[in-house]
Amino acid sequence: QVQLVESGGGLVQAGGSLRLSCAASARTFRSYAMGWFRQAPGKEREFVAAITWSGGSTYYADSVKGRFTISRDNAKSTLYLQMNSLKPEDTAVYYCAAAQRVVPGTVRNAYDYWGQGTQVTVSS
């Protein structure tokens, strides 16, 4: 099984920035497509961003385009989410996910492994 551990969450004011990290245990990290999802209280888990095995292609939810950037460092087996211009509606638990496929999906069942989540809270 692949273990995924998120970090970097916290409390930030509206307009501020955070960088989330996801450390993976997989020796073959570069062979996994990766994604970020988030879940706010009382709501379903929703897609945020995804990246291919090589990092050559990225995908974003409309709500975060232009503000969030997904990236990966295969040498460090780590996934990142740079979050800028944060809004109160970005408040949620953010989850890292891995899929053993070439192109990442935008739905939950496209992913095989999940992290425990990290809390992001944006205050106004």
Side-chain angles (χ1 to χ4, degrees):
Q1 187 178 18
V2 176
Q3 267 76 50
L4 303 172
V5 181
E6 302 96 332
S7 62
L11 176 65
V12 65
Q13 292 183 337
S17 299
L18 286 173
R19 192 187 197 196
L20 305 184
S21 298
C22 172
S25 65
R27 183 170 57 85
T28 57
F29 175 76
R30 69 175 307 279
S31 68
Y32 290 86
M34 302 292 295
W36 288 98
F37 287 73
R38 67 186 182 186
Q39 187 167 17
K43 297 184 178 180
E44 295 185 9
R45 194 170 300 185
E46 66 176 0
F47 171 76
V48 175
I51 190 167
T52 55
W53 288 1
S54 66
S57 297
T58 57
Y59 309 86
Y60 297 94
D62 288 341
S63 60
V64 305
K65 285 181 179 177
R67 300 189 297 119
F68 291 8
T69 302
I70 188 171
S71 62
R72 65 191 296 163
D73 186 338
N74 289 340
K76 296 181 178 180
S77 297
T78 302
L79 177 74
Y80 302 98
L81 184 67
Q82 179 65 47
M83 309 164 66
N84 298 327
S85 301
L86 284 162
K87 305 174 181 180
E89 50 263 45
D90 294 319
T91 296
V93 176
Y94 283 71
Y95 297 90
C96 168
Q100 197 160 4
R101 58 190 295 165
V102 176
V103 179
T106 59
V107 296
R108 290 185 63 180
N109 63 9
Y111 293 84
D112 304 302
Y113 305 100
W114 294 84
Q116 82 290 342
T118 186
Q119 177 71 48
V120 172
T121 303
V122 184
S123 63
S124 60

